[in-house]
Amino acid sequence: MTLLSSERAAAQEDSLFFSIDSSAVVSYRSTAPIRGDLGHVMTFSPSTIKAMPKFMGDIDPMVVIQSMPGVHTNSVMDAGLFIHGFEDSHNCYTIAGAPAYLTPRMFGFFPILNQSHFAQFRFKTDAEGCHLGGTLESEISDTTATGFHGDASLGMMSARATFSVPLHEKLSLTASFRQSFINQVYKGMLKYNSSQVKYGFTDINASLLWNPDDNNSFDADFYYSRDDAGSDATRIAVLMGGTWRQGTASARWRHKGEIGAEAVVYSTWNLKDFYLNISETKATTPSDLAENGLRLSLTFPLDFRADVNVIYREITPLSIFLEGGVETSTHINQKGMQSELGISKKFSTGLLTFIPTLHVSGYDELTSSKTYFHVDPELRFEINMLNAGILTISGSRKHQYFSQMGITSSGVPFRFWVGSGEYTEPQESHKISVSHAIDLNGGAWTVSTQAYWARLYNQLEFRGFVMDFLSPEYKLEDSMIKTDGNNYGANIMLSKNTGALTGWISYSYSRAMRHSCEEGMPALFPSTHDRPHELNAMLTWHIWKLDIGAMVSLASGDPYTRVKDYYFVGNNVVAEYEDFNSSRLKNYFKADISIDYALKSFGRYTHGLNLSVFNVTGHTNESIYFLYYKDWKYRYQAGSFIIPVMPSISYYCKF
């Protein structure tokens, strides 16, 4: 490289030349566990998050996302994703392109999905189509296996294994299995309010992939999960538990070309069957959701895209069957057809990108013969400000034709679905968000910020007490509070992307406020999942043969409705409440650590040991106020999962 003096440019004999033998542009290789920012798609894979904190030897993709700003922290007793103040049921979860209605494990301890079965996870704070919240896509590999390989771990509470085997040059099978044995190891410690708790789960995944040529691929996928929980106490008078099963089965075709296509035919289900016993009365409360559908996405030249969804859905919101005392039964079944069409076009001019989308949807509630039709626009602007980062502005109106409500933060995921029609109108949101992301020091650091505001209509809150299900006069509509409201907040995330220490620290200010015109409701109150302040840190440090991970969460406590008085009429509990969600649990704090030690490798066989400690500080977090029996008296006070510190050790291998 040569520089010529401007003073002597005209006189060659007096010119002064500087010679530089070489030049270099310095950048950093990113070792960040997650790629992307709050305004765009954020991606991660089992390999990029392998050093992140594990619980009982496994990494939970849900916990990874919950540590991001704008997503409510995972509590000890509740494990949903509450994104930008929206409900967990507002999110769109997919497995290999098929929708999945996922219920968290009991207490939120274990992952819903076996992360080693998937090649990549994609997360967005905005959902597409008829969903108000965010998106989590769990995607399988699109490359057929060339040889037999596997990934497995054995811990004190569960064991898992994933195997991939080629069946033909262009055909392969991947299968995953997971089984818990928590009752055998932690039987003496697994207690809730002095009650002995039993819990176990099993899940399986299977994916068959065929790549006949470079432009086409076919896959068939199956996922099934079963959880069983129950209280085996003899000292208390209230027993509860149940079984919940969930799964998907799908077939997909993907085509690459001038016109790209992805078509998925699927069936998905979420089935719950809980029981509640008190005195001589037993309540059984089944609630189900089953859905069959077709999803088609087409991409055309000039950045056109079209999405078509056709769905048939059946919902059993909540059936009550009482035995003992006054016997009664209530069974509700809702059936509906949903159709969607989305059209978008991407315009790019210099440093500005503009993406308008028009989404047309219709829903026919077959049971009550109610129909709905909506045209919802969405606009998205992206401005590349070069060294000043990328600014993203988006706005949308959306409708969702089913809701979810129930008792939250109770340890057991006792929430049920309700379809639009007879009991409630479609949920609606008008949302605006502004995001900014900038890389610093050659990409070694990233600062991502976001602010959002949403106006919501026809939201549902659950009014009542778990004991209400024991009343023969119980009606679904009596426990539903129809509300409107606002979600708003601001988030900031500082990520370290390179070096031995990687991860992020984030802070969120978020409000999910509601109001209702129903009699007896306050003028303004927080939603059940409202948490104004959250501070999260997710860090990993690689040193020698060790990967050390830590996760720390500090958050405001959840709102709840305190019972003023309760009394018995026969075998039924009657409760009188204070203002809805006018009380709040104590602030939440939890710290987990995880240490991986890599043992000597043998060719393709790598293995090691993991030591993880859940709630290393022994902090007791309140989860719910509950009526229970102690010292021959009924008491109403805060309950928590009483395991001060829960360590575990596991062995893992990969070949």
Side-chain angles (χ1 to χ4, degrees), residues 529-599:
H529 59 271
D530 175 76
R531 283 188 167 184
H533 302 282
E534 297 194 24
L535 179 66
N536 293 319
M538 179 78 82
L539 301 171
T540 61
W541 182 30
H542 178 75
I543 178 174
W544 187 49
K545 296 183 178 182
L546 300 176
D547 284 319
I548 304 173
M551 177 181 176
V552 179
S553 300
L554 176 63
S556 305
D558 288 329
Y560 74 98
T561 305
R562 180 185 291 272
V563 173
K564 291 191 298 184
D565 298 295
Y566 58 88
Y567 50 91
F568 285 84
V569 177
N571 292 327
N572 300 320
V573 178
V574 179
E576 295 183 3
Y577 303 94
E578 296 181 352
D579 286 344
F580 186 79
N581 280 354
S582 58
S583 299
R584 192 175 287 271
L585 300 174
K586 293 181 180 179
N587 290 342
Y588 171 85
F589 174 79
K590 185 168 70 72
D592 304 333
I593 62 171
S594 173
I595 302 175
D596 273 2
Y597 176 73
L599 300 173

Side-chain angles (χ1 to χ4, degrees), residues 379-419:
L379 300 175
R380 182 180 180 89
F381 296 88
E382 294 184 6
I383 305 172
N384 187 343
M385 300 186 294
L386 302 177
N387 293 334
I390 297 177
L391 179 67
T392 304
I393 304 172
S394 63
S396 64
R397 186 182 74 173
K398 296 182 179 180
H399 288 83
Q400 182 167 320
Y401 298 104
F402 57 92
S403 312
Q404 194 179 42
M405 69 174 192
I407 302 171
T408 59
S409 303
S410 61
V412 178
F414 196 82
R415 294 174 63 79
F416 49 89
W417 305 90
V418 181

Side-chain angles (χ1 to χ4, degrees), residues 204-510:
I204 60 175
N205 295 77
S207 299
L208 186 67
L209 176 64
W210 177 40
N211 289 332
D213 54 53
D214 293 338
N215 293 327
N216 294 279
S217 69
F218 299 86
D219 59 74
D221 300 275
F222 178 76
Y223 164 71
Y224 174 78
S225 173
R226 177 187 174 104
D227 292 63
D228 293 280
S231 171
D232 190 23
T234 57
R235 296 178 56 193
I236 65 174
V238 178
L239 304 178
M240 61 187 303
T243 299
W244 57 103
R245 294 161 289 159
Q246 54 197 334
T248 63
S250 64
R252 177 172 57 173
W253 166 59
R254 287 178 286 185
H255 174 73
K256 299 177 182 178
E258 185 176 4
I259 298 178
E262 178 175 317
V264 184
V265 179
Y266 69 90
S267 178
T268 184
W269 60 91
N270 185 293
L271 314 175
K272 299 176 184 176
D273 191 1
F274 291 102
Y275 66 84
L276 175 67
N277 294 358
I278 181 169
S279 187
E280 298 178 355
T281 303
K282 177 181 179 180
T284 305
T285 59
S287 58
D288 305 330
L289 181 149
E291 180 178 298
N292 301 303
L294 167 67
R295 291 162 60 99
L296 175 63
S297 295
L298 300 172
T299 56
F300 301 92
L302 303 178
D303 291 322
F304 275 101
R305 174 173 172 168
D307 296 278
V308 179
N309 297 334
V310 179
I311 300 166
Y312 172 75
R313 183 183 300 126
E314 288 194 26
I315 296 177
T316 301
L318 183 66
S319 296
I320 305 291
F321 299 95
L322 294 181
E323 300 177 12
V326 180
E327 297 190 4
T328 185
S329 64
T330 302
H331 181 72
I332 303 171
N333 184 255
Q334 296 179 301
K335 300 178 182 180
M337 286 292 302
Q338 181 174 320
S339 301
E340 306 172 37
L341 171 63
I343 301 175
S344 65
K345 170 70 171 77
K346 181 178 179 180
F347 299 91
S348 297
T349 304
L351 302 178
L352 175 65
T353 300
F354 172 50
I355 307 175
T357 301
L358 189 65
H359 188 261
V360 181
S361 63
Y363 183 75
D364 184 2
E365 212 274 334
L366 303 175
T367 308
S368 61
S369 300
K370 289 190 175 183
T371 59
Y372 304 94
F373 178 80
H374 295 101
V375 179
D376 294 328
E378 181 176 351
L379 300 175
R380 182 180 180 89
F381 296 88
E382 294 184 6
I383 305 172
N384 187 343
M385 300 186 294
L386 302 177
N387 293 334
I390 297 177
L391 179 67
T392 304
I393 304 172
S394 63
S396 64
R397 186 182 74 173
K398 296 182 179 180
H399 288 83
Q400 182 167 320
Y401 298 104
F402 57 92
S403 312
Q404 194 179 42
M405 69 174 192
I407 302 171
T408 59
S409 303
S410 61
V412 178
F414 196 82
R415 294 174 63 79
F416 49 89
W417 305 90
V418 181
S420 299
E422 182 177 357
Y423 297 98
T424 181
E425 296 296 301
Q427 295 188 323
E428 181 178 350
S429 75
H430 302 177
K431 182 181 178 182
I432 299 174
S433 67
V434 180
S435 307
H436 178 261
I438 184 171
D439 290 333
L440 305 175
N441 195 21
W445 299 81
T446 298
V447 179
S448 185
T449 56
Q450 187 178 62
Y452 62 90
W453 175 88
R455 175 65 174 168
L456 285 78
Y457 302 91
N458 302 322
Q459 304 300 296
L460 294 182
E461 294 282 345
F462 180 79
R463 170 171 53 192
F465 189 43
V466 65
M467 301 302 176
D468 295 343
F469 298 135
L470 296 173
S471 171
E473 288 79 28
Y474 176 83
K475 295 181 180 179
L476 174 64
E477 53 268 33
D478 292 340
S479 63
M480 298 172 58
I481 305 175
K482 300 176 182 180
T483 73
D484 298 331
N486 296 291
N487 296 343
Y488 55 91
N491 314 308
I492 184 169
M493 179 176 181
L494 174 64
S495 306
K496 188 175 186 299
N497 305 321
T498 64
L501 179 67
T502 58
W504 61 87
I505 298 175
S506 66
Y507 168 75
S508 298
Y509 174 76
S510 174

